[in-house]
Amino acid sequence: MCLTERTQTLSTELSRRAEQETASAVRVTGDDGPVEALETLILDSLDDDKAEDVVAIDLRGKSSITDIMVIASGRSARHVASLADHLVRKLKETGHGKARIEGTQTNDWVLIDMGDIIVHIFRPEVREFYNLEKMWSVEPDASAS
């Protein structure tokens, strides 16, 4: 392969990578349907897996980071891991597989970011310490919609 061909191949590869990075930065949640349908899927999954104290906070017009924040507790690190794993699997099965996930190393606090909806799954002690409901002026025992 001559230098010109290698330059063209490299240029094509760099363009392809740039397109992929741009595509991954775009919110994908709202593209497949309304946010409410995704919220229902998330809440149903958490309910099916016995998540505790589930709260959905509508942040539309209050924050530019997300439209809805879902906060839930698991009884232990193992339960938190299971809740997160099952939710991510259901999201992938329904075509919402582009979620970003953090916190699976310790499972004290797992964050699943789908763009329009962010899910926080905590161990009870960690949830009490960070108290996100208070930050967003929502009572911790408020029921999910």
Side-chain angles (χ1 to χ4, degrees):
M1 186 185 302
C2 72
L3 182 60
T4 306
E5 289 174 344
R6 275 192 274 174
T7 304
Q8 272 185 323
T9 303
L10 180 60
S11 176
T12 303
E13 179 63 20
L14 290 174
S15 295
R16 186 185 63 75
R17 285 184 185 174
E19 286 175 17
Q20 286 177 338
E21 289 173 8
T22 303
S24 67
V26 176
R27 286 188 175 188
V28 295
T29 307
D31 297 343
D32 294 337
V35 174
E36 289 76 18
L38 182 58
E39 178 185 13
T40 300
L41 174 78
I42 292 166
L43 294 176
D44 288 347
S45 174
L46 293 171
D47 185 52
D48 290 347
D49 292 333
K50 310 294 187 227
E52 298 176 349
D53 301 322
V54 179
V55 177
I57 305 170
D58 188 346
L59 296 177
R60 287 175 271 211
K62 297 177 185 175
S63 173
S64 61
I65 60 169
T66 192
D67 290 339
I68 298 171
M69 183 179 299
V70 176
I71 304 170
S73 293
R75 294 180 299 277
S76 63
R78 186 175 212 159
H79 189 214
V80 169
S82 177
L83 290 166
D85 182 57
H86 291 167
L87 178 56
V88 169
R89 285 182 189 194
K90 286 182 184 178
L91 291 168
K92 286 181 181 179
E93 289 170 3
T94 58
H96 299 93
K98 300 251 180 178
R100 293 180 190 95
I101 304 146
E102 295 184 28
T104 55
Q105 296 80 14
T106 62
N107 295 305
D108 289 332
W109 174 2
V110 175
L111 178 125
I112 303 169
D113 183 354
M114 288 155 291
D116 291 336
I117 299 179
I118 295 176
V119 180
H120 299 272
I121 306 172
F122 292 97
R123 279 190 314 105
E125 308 82 42
V126 178
R127 181 176 181 171
E128 186 178 329
F129 178 79
Y130 287 101
N131 202 358
L132 293 181
E133 293 93 344
K134 184 177 180 184
M135 182 187 325
W136 294 102
S137 299
V138 174
E139 294 300 316
D141 54 346
S143 62
S145 57

